[in-house]
Amino acid sequence: MSTTTRRSTRVRATGVGAVLALTAGLLAGTGGTLAPPAQALTPPVTMTAEELPTWQTNGIVHALAEANGVVFAGGTFSTVRPPGAAPGTQERPAANFVALDAATGEPVDCDLSFTVGSGTATIRALAVSPDGQTLYAGGTFGSVNGSGASSLAAFDLPTCARKPFPTAANGIVRAIAATDDRVYLGGDFTQLSGQPRGRFGAVDTAGAVQGWRADADEIGKAIALTPDGENVILGGNFFEVNGDSSHALAVVDAGTGANTRTYGRGFIEDSSTVQALATDATGFYTANEGTGGFDGRIALDFGTFDQRWRDTCLGATQAVAVHQEVLYSGHHAHDCSSMGEFPNQERYHLFAQSVHDPKLLGWFPNTNDGLGEQLGPRVMAAATGHPSDDRDFMWVGGGFTTVNGVAQWGLTRFATAPDTGDPSTPETHAASHGGGRIEVTWRSSLDLDDHLLTYRVYRDGGSTPVHTTTGESVPWRRPQLSWTDPDAAAGETHSYRVTATDGAGNTSPLSAPVTVTAAGDGRAYTDEVLADDPLLYWPYDEPAHNFASDASGNNGNGVHRGGPERGVTPPAVPGTDAAGIGYDGTDSYTYSDRTYAGLTRYTLETWFRTTTTRGGKLIGMGNRILQPSSSRDHNLYMRDDGRLTFGVYTNTHRTITSRDAWNDGEWHHVAASVGANGMRLYVDGEQVASSPLTTSARSVTGYWRTGGDSLQGWPGRPSSDWFAGQLDETAVYPAQLSAGRVEAHHEAASVPVDTVTQVAPAADTYVNAAAPNASYGTHQQLAVRGSAAYESYLAFEVPQAPPGQVLKAAALRVRVSGDAAAGSADDFAVVPVTGSWSETDTTYATRPAVDRATVLGTLSSPDALGGVHTVPLGTGAVGEALGGTFDVALTGEGTDSLWLWAGEATQSAYRPQLLLTFGAP
């Protein structure tokens, strides 16, 4: 098939006013076939999510079309400028039109200026004839390059010279589709060249009005042609076509305009309109905008013109384009909960879906809302590049001013290759719950064009993975993955790191190492929790980041928002590496990564500590994750006076409340349940409130949230919906626990276990060989490097072992700072300090002697910013220092500097810590 024929077929199959899309299976490029989907991407996605350098506009792009490797863009703008150039710099005049190389994004020679005598000139529609020789433009304009026009014009390609095309429209032209001998138009007009035509009409290639009639009662916004050329698809605001009821969508005969298929009231809600259309070989696709109604996309088959599927996401769809078997769309989707996806939250502006299935695919580049009506993308078009470039491109135009968080106005584009973006670094945790087992868990990574990633787990600094698995993730759902080390034995200490790799082989940085000692015996409290088969169990033991690991075995991880304090000590339940979480009472909270449904009988459990007098929610279920929920249930909250309330909603709020207050600053265990025994509330193992009247909650679907969510309308609503205090050991059970089991949980927290004492440095500082007389004792950071040398020194006042106990393990925990160059790929040694020093007076010139031959532990490749690293230390040296001072230095031999938070850091969890595990001999 020739190139000319190939382009003719594509335009026939698309015919979408301002939207030109490639057709599935159609030919393109000099090689005779479309470039295959990039195998590096998760099929069937065909485009990467990485924006390519593209010239930008200073206004809104409403229309795109492509011919012979050139993309034509029209809209409302007056200049264009290179990618990266700030508004007002390096600009070239461009009166509402620009032609750009499809493969490079740079302007080409096609200077057309669209103006109007009064008001604002705008191009709303662009289309190319099937032979690729004519460009048609429509919109609101009175002249082109100074020569008169009435909202329509035609141009020779590739010269861009004006062609005779005398058609005059008495209103805006919003859509154009061209065949070999006819040009179909849609818009606001009621006349074409003085002849009555209600919002749709047709002219021949010379501009003469045809007898074709498809009159509509309201605005026409989109036109597409069926691949066989027999029918024309119409979209817009209308309620009638040719006198028949057909709202927003209709199919009419290409020869006469007579109705082929109408869509009566209710098929598309009255408040919803069709903004754009796209087609492929099998069907056509709508872009709908609603006012409080249907905002998504509909796929319909050509054989019957019946619906194939419907997407009900909220957030007006403005653009659709097909590339191979993927429907790409532009919108400001903010709530796809009806599709089983994300709840109401920040907007996504670009999606991909299979033409066979409305499920969202893993393609999530993003723009902002931008200019004008703040709709973001307005138009999309698939295009081929030069004969020398075998890639396909997806062009996006609109009113946006950023793309993937980077400044870019009006235009952007994506390509089938290369995929060069790395997945995000996995957030990793490791724990041991007894039996010599070590469980490694991590939050799935995010890759904007690969939803299926490969994860590799590395142990003890090894270069060969000890475990490999795959997992799916999207921006709003990044489920926990887990692995149990089969080779760990009780008493052994191991460290673990995880990477994520996409289909192109792009690999994330290694996660910060997590170190854990395999416990021989289980912790009594954890054993009791797991014995009752919790749905989720968040111990909150992770010292950093936004991942709340689920220890239930169900991979029901949580996600922290608002920066709650991590590594809170002392924890409610003692244990090795145990910690709690601290919420600020303002906007910090934790939500479950996935929804839960059908819990009508259940138990909520957590430990809490607070002195607040403003109350707040401890745990509950809501329908949103990134903003306060509009629907909430299963709530356990504190009132302003410190009393606890547990409630469910049936046909009204059903609540029970404790008599006493519990905001005394001490750790307390609370359990709340509903079931056959009614509603029950326990504090510290004892029942404090009950009601036999409610034995079942309603079945709702939502996300578990701890630390805060809306309590609007709930009895005794506190002054703050957000809890100011600490939580620990949160669990949800799918049954009502008996009073005996609740008491057993509480009592298990007091069973003697190995305890961890955390000691902050009594003094710390670093020295710098390049500034030999400078003292850094008051700085918030420590530095280590081999050359030019930095060394850090830390002194800890070490307590004696508790009576009847011995030191069983010791470790140094440090956190990499957030400076851009803080992380290091080098290894660093922890060695004894043998000389005397002080925090305020030590300089490089007066630095103490250190025993470099005695390495107490090694800090390996602490390259992740904010990474928390635990370095096991031999118990011999630390044991000798019990009851006295333990001084260590951090030294290096390489040239890559490391910056750590010091004891002067404002947050206690950031400061270095000496971890001492004491237990029975």
Side-chain angles (χ1 to χ4, degrees), residues 702-768:
Y703 301 85
W704 289 111
R705 292 179 51 148
T706 61
D709 196 5
S710 173
L711 286 167
Q712 182 177 353
W714 282 78
R717 182 186 185 183
S719 301
S720 172
D721 294 340
W722 308 92
F723 180 65
Q726 294 84 45
L727 295 185
D728 201 2
E729 307 287 342
T730 297
V732 177
Y733 304 87
Q736 184 174 42
L737 297 185
S738 67
R741 292 304 300 151
V742 172
E743 182 181 9
H745 287 207
H746 176 253
E747 294 302 317
S750 302
V751 174
V753 295
D754 290 352
T755 59
V756 176
T757 299
Q758 301 186 19
V759 183
D764 61 7
T765 190
Y766 76 94
V767 296
N768 179 2

Side-chain angles (χ1 to χ4, degrees), residues 416-714:
T416 49
D419 177 11
T420 60
D422 293 340
S424 64
T425 304
E427 296 179 26
T428 308
H429 180 61
S432 179
H433 301 302
R437 293 163 51 91
I438 293 177
E439 293 83 29
V440 182
T441 57
W442 63 95
R443 186 186 184 198
S444 299
S445 296
L446 178 61
D447 190 294
L448 295 181
D449 48 30
D450 292 274
H451 72 272
L452 182 64
L453 302 176
T454 298
Y455 297 90
R456 294 177 175 86
V457 181
Y458 299 86
R459 182 175 54 206
D460 298 334
S463 59
T464 301
V466 293
H467 177 67
T468 301
T469 190
T470 59
E472 293 188 350
S473 59
V474 290
W476 58 90
R477 188 170 54 248
R478 294 168 58 185
Q480 174 177 300
L481 296 173
S482 57
W483 172 70
T484 299
D485 189 342
D487 297 323
E492 292 182 353
T493 298
H494 296 285
S495 66
Y496 302 88
R497 307 183 82 175
V498 182
T499 63
T501 303
D502 65 15
N506 302 307
T507 298
S508 74
L510 283 160
S511 64
V514 289
T515 303
V516 65
T517 300
D521 297 324
R523 188 173 63 153
Y525 183 84
T526 299
D527 291 344
E528 293 292 342
V529 169
L530 296 179
D532 287 317
D533 297 321
L535 280 178
L536 64 78
Y537 173 27
W538 297 339
Y540 303 116
D541 292 338
E542 310 80 20
H545 306 305
N546 296 316
F547 170 49
S549 176
D550 175 29
S552 73
N554 298 317
N555 287 330
N557 60 294
V559 182
H560 303 304
R561 291 275 294 179
E565 184 179 3
R566 312 307 317 283
V568 169
T569 57
V573 181
T576 303
D577 293 331
I581 188 169
Y583 297 110
D584 61 11
T586 302
D587 60 2
S588 62
Y589 62 98
T590 304
Y591 66 85
S592 60
D593 183 76
R594 60 183 175 89
T595 58
Y596 291 80
L599 284 179
T600 58
R601 295 183 173 185
Y602 60 86
T603 301
L604 309 180
E605 178 182 48
T606 194
W607 289 77
F608 69 94
R609 181 175 64 176
T610 186
T611 58
T612 185
T613 56
R614 301 182 67 242
K617 182 182 291 190
L618 277 66
I619 182 172
M621 180 175 281
N623 66 336
R624 295 178 180 173
I625 57 178
L626 302 185
Q627 54 185 245
S629 296
S630 61
S631 175
R632 48 262 162 189
D633 205 343
H634 313 328
N635 287 319
L636 174 60
Y637 55 97
M638 180 172 281
R639 300 184 180 216
D640 287 351
D641 59 9
R643 293 186 298 154
L644 293 171
T645 293
F646 168 58
V648 300
Y649 185 87
T650 51
N651 58 339
T652 188
H653 296 100
R654 311 284 185 179
T655 61
I656 55 177
T657 301
S658 70
R659 181 187 62 186
D660 298 327
W662 303 97
N663 54 347
D664 56 7
E666 300 294 328
W667 278 113
H668 295 287
H669 175 260
V670 59
S673 67
V674 60
N677 293 317
M679 297 176 64
R680 295 197 171 188
L681 180 64
Y682 303 85
V683 177
D684 293 339
E686 296 183 0
Q687 183 174 295
V688 297
S690 66
S691 171
L693 301 178
T694 302
T695 59
S696 179
R698 62 174 178 161
S699 177
V700 296
T701 299
Y703 301 85
W704 289 111
R705 292 179 51 148
T706 61
D709 196 5
S710 173
L711 286 167
Q712 182 177 353
W714 282 78

Side-chain angles (χ1 to χ4, degrees), residues 22-274:
L22 285 177
T23 303
L26 298 185
L27 304 183
T30 58
T33 60
L34 272 175
Q39 295 303 310
L41 307 174
T42 305
V45 172
T46 60
M47 296 286 167
T48 75
E50 290 138 31
E51 75 282 5
L52 300 175
T54 308
W55 276 60
Q56 49 190 324
T57 65
N58 69 340
I60 300 173
V61 173
H62 289 284
L64 293 170
E66 179 265 345
N68 306 309
V70 175
V71 169
F72 306 99
T76 307
F77 52 87
S78 59
T79 66
V80 293
R81 63 184 186 275
T89 66
Q90 304 181 54
E91 292 186 333
R92 298 183 188 178
N96 305 304
F97 176 87
V98 65
L100 302 136
D101 187 299
T104 67
E106 298 177 352
V108 299
D109 186 16
C110 183
D111 295 327
L112 301 176
S113 175
F114 293 77
T115 57
V116 68
S118 61
T120 302
T122 302
I123 294 178
R124 293 279 181 175
L126 293 168
V128 175
S129 61
D131 61 7
Q133 300 301 304
T134 304
L135 171 68
Y136 298 98
T140 303
F141 49 87
S143 66
V144 182
N145 291 350
S147 179
S150 183
S151 296
L152 277 166
F155 307 91
D156 175 70
L157 295 178
T159 66
C160 289
R162 182 91 176 266
K163 277 187 171 184
F165 195 71
T167 308
N170 71 338
I172 302 171
V173 176
R174 297 178 182 271
I176 304 174
T179 69
D180 291 322
D181 53 13
R182 182 170 284 181
V183 182
Y184 296 93
L185 307 170
D188 301 31
F189 55 82
T190 56
Q191 292 183 0
L192 290 177
S193 298
Q195 299 186 43
R197 292 294 184 272
R199 282 84 183 189
F200 293 99
V203 299
D204 66 17
T205 56
V209 178
Q210 303 293 286
W212 186 88
R213 298 292 294 268
D215 292 341
D217 61 333
E218 295 290 346
I219 295 172
K221 289 189 172 179
I223 300 179
L225 293 162
T226 57
D228 60 10
E230 297 296 322
N231 290 284
V232 180
I233 308 161
L234 309 179
N237 297 13
F238 50 83
F239 288 86
E240 292 183 357
V241 175
N242 292 326
D244 291 340
S245 175
S246 193
H247 175 51
L249 184 67
V251 182
V252 299
D253 185 270
T256 66
N259 292 345
T260 300
R261 172 66 183 270
T262 57
Y263 298 88
R265 303 284 281 273
F267 181 77
I268 295 175
E269 295 179 22
D270 284 1
S271 61
S272 179
T273 61
V274 171

